[in-house]
Each structure stands twice: as C-alpha cells, then as structure tokens.
Amino acid sequence: MAAPATPRASLILPRASSHSHSQPSAGRLTSDRVAASRRRRGDFVFVINPSGANGRTGKQWKQLLPHLRTRLADQCKICECITSGPSDAIDVTREAIKDGADAVIAVGGDGTLHEVVNGFFCKGSPVCALDRGPDHSTALGLIPLGTGSDFARTFGWTNDPRDAIDRIARGLKSKLDIGVMEAANRETHFFVNVADIHLSAKAGYFASMYKRFGNLCYVFGALRGFGGHNNRDMRIKVNGGEWRTVDKVTALCIGNAKYFGGGMKITPTADPFSGSLEVVILQDFKWYDFLLKLHRLYGGTHLSVNGVSSIRVRSIEVAEVTASGDIFVQSDGEHFGFLPTKFSVLPGAVDFFC
C-alpha cells in the first residue's frame, strides 16, 4: 500500500530556549528540514505512529513526553517525528541518519520498528551521515507501544515505556543483527524480528486487516489463513549449499529474535546478537494440530514435537518445488510478497540500546 502524498510526516524540532514544541506547516516542512540539518547534532529522533493500537500509541506518547523530556533533555536534543502513513518512518529515519542524528527511536509496535530498521538502509546498503565522518553511527532504540511488541518480548522487557526510556538514558548499546530478504524484481528488504512463509505469513496478511481488534487480529487472521490452505513441498538451500526438498511444509519461520503473532515463541533459540538465524519448519500440520499444540508453540517447547525441525543458518533460500506464485512471505508482520526468497543475516549491523 503506497503512502499518501500529503500530509507527510511532521518533524517537531526542539527550541533553543524552552521545551515547548510547535507543529510546522506542510508548506515549510521541506525548508525546515534543510535548515535543521545543521542544528540536529546530537539529536535523538523519536519516530511515532500516532494511529498505532487504534490511536492508543499517540495518546500514550503525549502522556509520556513530559517524563521523557525530564529524563533525557540534559543528554540530547529531543526531536519528535509524527508519521502520517505507510513508509513515512522509513523516509524520516533515512533523513535523520543523513543529517547526523545520534539515535533514532521507534515509538510503537513491531510495524513501526520494522519501518525504522528499513530506514537504516537504502538500496541494500547502510545509510550514512553526510558530514559526520566515517566513524559516526546512528543508534537504534525502541519504546514499545502498540498492538504488538514481539521484538521486546525476546529481551523480557516490561510493558512500561518508562523502563525503555531508562535504557536509552543509560546509553548501553550492543551490536544488533539484522535480517535481509532478497527476491527477484524487488528491492532488498530488512527485518529485525521474524520472517515467515506460507500459512503463518498468509495469516499475518489477513491479521493486518483486523488490527482494530488488538491481539484478536491474530486469531481472525489464522481463521482466514486456514481457508483453502494446503501444505506444500518446498526446496531450500542452506548457506549456499545444495538444494534439498522439504515435504508438506505448513510454515517456515526464520528468526532473528524469538516471538511473533502476539506472543508465540516460534523460534525459541534465536538470538539477535549471535550472527545467525534460527529456522523452524512445521511439516504436515492439520488445523487440529494447531489447537492441540498451540500451548507448546506459545511456550516455545515445540521443537521436540513430531513434524517440527530447527536449524541455524547464515543464509537460506526457499522456493516451491512446483512454482505457483501464491506462497505468502512476510517479515515482522508486514507482507513482503511471494516465493522464491533468499534470507540472510547482517551480523552486528546496527548499534541498539539495550
């Protein structure tokens, strides 16, 4: 879905003499950004999707902002960026990095984080500051608000956004791995959490239509996903080796982190600082298998279940044995396209507040 032409995301820059913020008009937005580029050294840019979680993200952000200013104002210049549509967070993140921001913080759920992560790259390569020198890097941060915060679950973080602000204030960072997705005739795409194929990706595609129902969207998505579902034979190539066939695949999940689908611990041994991805394959599952084994999928104890296998990879290519062009692929809950697709990892690609 294409982003609307207007209005674009609004960037609210800090004033020199106070902590009050004013909304720039649409007509001055471009010139404001250009004029601001020299004033944003040391900026922490907070990217907020105000419509996330049926508008709760925007309301929670307004309540959180006074605490954030109190906690961080003496360490950095706080810049808000309110997005207005799909892909806005990608564009704003790229611009902030080029302008030399010290950090870009995703405020919202996994969808907002996914866009911000993709903003760290352009045409398959990392985005760099234009005039900060080769040693400068922009850090990634997360204040989890919204419908789903599956990435935050990997770290056992609480739902209290004040804890996230404390992590950012401490300034401790680690090198975070980033997943890469490549397909013919598509721009290289990046993910930070879990990419998945077939039934789970199809269910995720439909779940996105029911976000207004909160985490129930995953239930509705799964019900629609099962409609007309058939397990499919697929071919995989691991770490550039030989192709092999995997029969009756129900779902294939590639985890940089552990959770997806509103708390399902699908890739339970994944570690986003390990330099590898965990691939979990579910084979020949029926609808009743999900009902009977759902508690194990959510608890992360499913790797010993019949029909479930797990491998660690640096890269994996996945294709159909008989091409149909209708096997869904998604990443971080966002629809990517269809098979064939190659997945790989960029070890330690981004500094991350943790």
Side-chain angles (χ1 to χ4, degrees), residues 229-253:
H229 171 76
N230 293 300
N231 297 323
R232 297 284 187 88
D233 296 343
M234 297 185 190
R235 298 186 303 137
I236 64 172
K237 180 193 287 189
V238 174
N239 298 335
E242 299 296 322
W243 286 99
R244 67 181 179 90
T245 299
V246 183
D247 298 330
K248 299 179 180 179
V249 174
T250 307
L252 189 152
C253 303

mmCIF file of all heavy atoms in Angstrom, residues 229-253:
data_model
loop_
_atom_site.group_PDB
_atom_site.id
_atom_site.type_symbol
_atom_site.label_atom_id
_atom_site.label_comp_id
_atom_site.label_asym_id
_atom_site.label_seq_id
_atom_site.Cartn_x
_atom_site.Cartn_y
_atom_site.Cartn_z
ATOM 1 N N HIS A 229 -6.194 -23.646 2.768
ATOM 2 C CA HIS A 229 -4.763 -23.924 2.947
ATOM 3 C C HIS A 229 -4.422 -25.358 2.569
ATOM 4 O O HIS A 229 -5.134 -26.300 2.907
ATOM 5 C CB HIS A 229 -4.355 -23.681 4.401
ATOM 6 C CG HIS A 229 -2.970 -24.155 4.709
ATOM 7 N ND1 HIS A 229 -1.849 -23.461 4.320
ATOM 8 C CD2 HIS A 229 -2.518 -25.282 5.331
ATOM 9 C CE1 HIS A 229 -0.772 -24.125 4.704
ATOM 10 N NE2 HIS A 229 -1.161 -25.226 5.316
ATOM 11 N N ASN A 230 -3.269 -25.507 1.905
ATOM 12 C CA ASN A 230 -2.696 -26.824 1.625
ATOM 13 C C ASN A 230 -1.218 -26.781 1.939
ATOM 14 O O ASN A 230 -0.527 -25.815 1.591
ATOM 15 C CB ASN A 230 -2.883 -27.201 0.143
ATOM 16 C CG ASN A 230 -4.334 -27.422 -0.235
ATOM 17 O OD1 ASN A 230 -4.995 -28.292 0.323
ATOM 18 N ND2 ASN A 230 -4.835 -26.629 -1.171
ATOM 19 N N ASN A 231 -0.712 -27.811 2.601
ATOM 20 C CA ASN A 231 0.723 -27.911 2.810
ATOM 21 C C ASN A 231 1.418 -28.100 1.460
ATOM 22 O O ASN A 231 0.873 -28.732 0.556
ATOM 23 C CB ASN A 231 1.043 -29.082 3.743
ATOM 24 C CG ASN A 231 0.438 -28.886 5.117
ATOM 25 O OD1 ASN A 231 0.395 -27.774 5.632
ATOM 26 N ND2 ASN A 231 -0.038 -29.977 5.740
ATOM 27 N N ARG A 232 2.618 -27.539 1.332
ATOM 28 C CA ARG A 232 3.307 -27.531 0.043
ATOM 29 C C ARG A 232 4.733 -28.080 0.178
ATOM 30 O O ARG A 232 5.406 -27.844 1.182
ATOM 31 C CB ARG A 232 3.398 -26.108 -0.505
ATOM 32 C CG ARG A 232 2.068 -25.443 -0.796
ATOM 33 C CD ARG A 232 1.430 -25.958 -2.079
ATOM 34 N NE ARG A 232 0.248 -25.180 -2.389
ATOM 35 C CZ ARG A 232 0.254 -24.064 -3.104
ATOM 36 N NH1 ARG A 232 1.388 -23.594 -3.591
ATOM 37 N NH2 ARG A 232 -0.872 -23.410 -3.346
ATOM 38 N N ASP A 233 5.177 -28.740 -0.868
ATOM 39 C CA ASP A 233 6.573 -29.168 -0.949
ATOM 40 C C ASP A 233 7.424 -27.966 -1.346
ATOM 41 O O ASP A 233 7.071 -27.209 -2.255
ATOM 42 C CB ASP A 233 6.748 -30.273 -1.993
ATOM 43 C CG ASP A 233 6.003 -31.549 -1.621
ATOM 44 O OD1 ASP A 233 5.637 -31.699 -0.441
ATOM 45 O OD2 ASP A 233 5.782 -32.375 -2.526
ATOM 46 N N MET A 234 8.552 -27.794 -0.659
ATOM 47 C CA MET A 234 9.440 -26.666 -0.933
ATOM 48 C C MET A 234 10.872 -27.142 -1.075
ATOM 49 O O MET A 234 11.239 -28.231 -0.621
ATOM 50 C CB MET A 234 9.346 -25.619 0.189
ATOM 51 C CG MET A 234 7.984 -24.988 0.319
ATOM 52 S SD MET A 234 7.955 -23.668 1.551
ATOM 53 C CE MET A 234 6.181 -23.371 1.641
ATOM 54 N N ARG A 235 11.682 -26.299 -1.712
ATOM 55 C CA ARG A 235 13.116 -26.539 -1.821
ATOM 56 C C ARG A 235 13.847 -25.496 -0.990
ATOM 57 O O ARG A 235 13.458 -24.317 -0.990
ATOM 58 C CB ARG A 235 13.584 -26.453 -3.271
ATOM 59 C CG ARG A 235 12.959 -27.474 -4.202
ATOM 60 C CD ARG A 235 13.580 -27.406 -5.582
ATOM 61 N NE ARG A 235 13.449 -26.064 -6.151
ATOM 62 C CZ ARG A 235 14.425 -25.427 -6.802
ATOM 63 N NH1 ARG A 235 15.621 -25.991 -6.925
ATOM 64 N NH2 ARG A 235 14.223 -24.229 -7.315
ATOM 65 N N ILE A 236 14.886 -25.923 -0.294
ATOM 66 C CA ILE A 236 15.691 -24.980 0.474
ATOM 67 C C ILE A 236 17.177 -25.182 0.158
ATOM 68 O O ILE A 236 17.619 -26.294 -0.145
ATOM 69 C CB ILE A 236 15.456 -25.102 1.995
ATOM 70 C CG1 ILE A 236 15.897 -26.466 2.531
ATOM 71 C CG2 ILE A 236 13.989 -24.849 2.339
ATOM 72 C CD1 ILE A 236 15.870 -26.561 4.063
ATOM 73 N N LYS A 237 17.901 -24.082 0.225
ATOM 74 C CA LYS A 237 19.361 -24.113 0.073
ATOM 75 C C LYS A 237 19.954 -23.379 1.261
ATOM 76 O O LYS A 237 19.720 -22.180 1.447
ATOM 77 C CB LYS A 237 19.798 -23.439 -1.224
ATOM 78 C CG LYS A 237 21.313 -23.439 -1.446
ATOM 79 C CD LYS A 237 21.721 -22.495 -2.562
ATOM 80 C CE LYS A 237 21.336 -23.036 -3.920
ATOM 81 N NZ LYS A 237 21.937 -22.201 -5.023
ATOM 82 N N VAL A 238 20.712 -24.079 2.096
ATOM 83 C CA VAL A 238 21.246 -23.529 3.341
ATOM 84 C C VAL A 238 22.711 -23.149 3.160
ATOM 85 O O VAL A 238 23.523 -23.959 2.701
ATOM 86 C CB VAL A 238 21.098 -24.559 4.495
ATOM 87 C CG1 VAL A 238 21.795 -24.053 5.761
ATOM 88 C CG2 VAL A 238 19.619 -24.823 4.778
ATOM 89 N N ASN A 239 23.040 -21.901 3.507
ATOM 90 C CA ASN A 239 24.419 -21.407 3.487
ATOM 91 C C ASN A 239 25.100 -21.629 2.131
ATOM 92 O O ASN A 239 26.291 -21.944 2.067
ATOM 93 C CB ASN A 239 25.246 -22.052 4.600
ATOM 94 C CG ASN A 239 24.720 -21.720 5.981
ATOM 95 O OD1 ASN A 239 24.068 -20.693 6.185
ATOM 96 N ND2 ASN A 239 24.961 -22.602 6.943
ATOM 97 N N GLY A 240 24.319 -21.478 1.059
ATOM 98 C CA GLY A 240 24.885 -21.605 -0.284
ATOM 99 C C GLY A 240 25.181 -23.015 -0.715
ATOM 100 O O GLY A 240 25.857 -23.218 -1.732
ATOM 101 N N GLY A 241 24.677 -24.018 0.021
ATOM 102 C CA GLY A 241 24.947 -25.413 -0.326
ATOM 103 C C GLY A 241 24.041 -25.929 -1.432
ATOM 104 O O GLY A 241 23.606 -25.180 -2.305
ATOM 105 N N GLU A 242 23.735 -27.216 -1.370
ATOM 106 C CA GLU A 242 22.893 -27.855 -2.383
ATOM 107 C C GLU A 242 21.418 -27.683 -2.039
ATOM 108 O O GLU A 242 21.037 -27.608 -0.866
ATOM 109 C CB GLU A 242 23.229 -29.347 -2.487
ATOM 110 C CG GLU A 242 24.665 -29.641 -2.902
ATOM 111 C CD GLU A 242 24.965 -29.151 -4.305
ATOM 112 O OE1 GLU A 242 24.066 -29.262 -5.173
ATOM 113 O OE2 GLU A 242 26.082 -28.641 -4.529
ATOM 114 N N TRP A 243 20.587 -27.642 -3.077
ATOM 115 C CA TRP A 243 19.145 -27.620 -2.868
ATOM 116 C C TRP A 243 18.676 -28.973 -2.334
ATOM 117 O O TRP A 243 19.181 -30.017 -2.744
ATOM 118 C CB TRP A 243 18.413 -27.336 -4.179
ATOM 119 C CG TRP A 243 18.506 -25.915 -4.650
ATOM 120 C CD1 TRP A 243 19.343 -25.411 -5.596
ATOM 121 C CD2 TRP A 243 17.716 -24.816 -4.195
ATOM 122 N NE1 TRP A 243 19.139 -24.069 -5.765
ATOM 123 C CE2 TRP A 243 18.133 -23.673 -4.923
ATOM 124 C CE3 TRP A 243 16.695 -24.675 -3.254
ATOM 125 C CZ2 TRP A 243 17.573 -22.418 -4.722
ATOM 126 C CZ3 TRP A 243 16.133 -23.430 -3.064
ATOM 127 C CH2 TRP A 243 16.562 -22.311 -3.786
ATOM 128 N N ARG A 244 17.722 -28.925 -1.396
ATOM 129 C CA ARG A 244 17.070 -30.158 -0.954
ATOM 130 C C ARG A 244 15.583 -29.898 -0.784
ATOM 131 O O ARG A 244 15.159 -28.766 -0.558
ATOM 132 C CB ARG A 244 17.689 -30.699 0.340
ATOM 133 C CG ARG A 244 17.479 -29.855 1.580
ATOM 134 C CD ARG A 244 18.174 -30.503 2.769
ATOM 135 N NE ARG A 244 18.041 -29.756 4.006
ATOM 136 C CZ ARG A 244 17.050 -29.917 4.883
ATOM 137 N NH1 ARG A 244 16.091 -30.813 4.642
ATOM 138 N NH2 ARG A 244 17.015 -29.207 5.990
ATOM 139 N N THR A 245 14.807 -30.941 -0.857
ATOM 140 C CA THR A 245 13.353 -30.829 -0.787
ATOM 141 C C THR A 245 12.857 -31.069 0.633
ATOM 142 O O THR A 245 13.332 -31.990 1.318
ATOM 143 C CB THR A 245 12.690 -31.837 -1.744
ATOM 144 O OG1 THR A 245 13.107 -31.551 -3.084
ATOM 145 C CG2 THR A 245 11.180 -31.752 -1.668
ATOM 146 N N VAL A 246 11.925 -30.245 1.063
ATOM 147 C CA VAL A 246 11.246 -30.415 2.347
ATOM 148 C C VAL A 246 9.762 -30.616 2.039
ATOM 149 O O VAL A 246 9.123 -29.744 1.450
ATOM 150 C CB VAL A 246 11.436 -29.190 3.269
ATOM 151 C CG1 VAL A 246 10.780 -29.431 4.626
ATOM 152 C CG2 VAL A 246 12.910 -28.871 3.444
ATOM 153 N N ASP A 247 9.227 -31.773 2.419
ATOM 154 C CA ASP A 247 7.867 -32.138 2.044
ATOM 155 C C ASP A 247 6.818 -31.508 2.952
ATOM 156 O O ASP A 247 7.052 -31.295 4.151
ATOM 157 C CB ASP A 247 7.699 -33.663 2.090
ATOM 158 C CG ASP A 247 8.610 -34.385 1.100
ATOM 159 O OD1 ASP A 247 8.908 -33.792 0.050
ATOM 160 O OD2 ASP A 247 9.021 -35.525 1.401
ATOM 161 N N LYS A 248 5.658 -31.225 2.389
ATOM 162 C CA LYS A 248 4.439 -30.882 3.123
ATOM 163 C C LYS A 248 4.682 -29.770 4.157
ATOM 164 O O LYS A 248 4.325 -29.910 5.333
ATOM 165 C CB LYS A 248 3.859 -32.117 3.803
ATOM 166 C CG LYS A 248 3.464 -33.213 2.835
ATOM 167 C CD LYS A 248 2.921 -34.432 3.559
ATOM 168 C CE LYS A 248 2.528 -35.525 2.572
ATOM 169 N NZ LYS A 248 2.012 -36.737 3.278
ATOM 170 N N VAL A 249 5.264 -28.684 3.713
ATOM 171 C CA VAL A 249 5.565 -27.576 4.621
ATOM 172 C C VAL A 249 4.275 -26.824 4.943
ATOM 173 O O VAL A 249 3.539 -26.389 4.050
ATOM 174 C CB VAL A 249 6.594 -26.612 4.000
ATOM 175 C CG1 VAL A 249 6.784 -25.381 4.895
ATOM 176 C CG2 VAL A 249 7.922 -27.333 3.787
ATOM 177 N N THR A 250 4.016 -26.661 6.231
ATOM 178 C CA THR A 250 2.889 -25.859 6.703
ATOM 179 C C THR A 250 3.326 -24.414 6.891
ATOM 180 O O THR A 250 2.637 -23.487 6.477
ATOM 181 C CB THR A 250 2.344 -26.412 8.027
ATOM 182 O OG1 THR A 250 2.045 -27.807 7.876
ATOM 183 C CG2 THR A 250 1.094 -25.653 8.461
ATOM 184 N N ALA A 251 4.461 -24.242 7.530
ATOM 185 C CA ALA A 251 5.030 -22.905 7.743
ATOM 186 C C ALA A 251 6.529 -23.051 7.923
ATOM 187 O O ALA A 251 7.013 -24.055 8.463
ATOM 188 C CB ALA A 251 4.410 -22.223 8.957
ATOM 189 N N LEU A 252 7.261 -22.043 7.479
ATOM 190 C CA LEU A 252 8.707 -21.992 7.660
ATOM 191 C C LEU A 252 9.032 -20.605 8.200
ATOM 192 O O LEU A 252 8.697 -19.597 7.581
ATOM 193 C CB LEU A 252 9.420 -22.260 6.336
ATOM 194 C CG LEU A 252 10.938 -22.449 6.371
ATOM 195 C CD1 LEU A 252 11.396 -23.332 5.217
ATOM 196 C CD2 LEU A 252 11.673 -21.117 6.324
ATOM 197 N N CYS A 253 9.673 -20.576 9.367
ATOM 198 C CA CYS A 253 9.917 -19.310 10.073
ATOM 199 C C CYS A 253 11.410 -19.094 10.249
ATOM 200 O O CYS A 253 12.139 -20.010 10.645
ATOM 201 C CB CYS A 253 9.225 -19.315 11.438
ATOM 202 S SG CYS A 253 7.443 -19.607 11.332
#
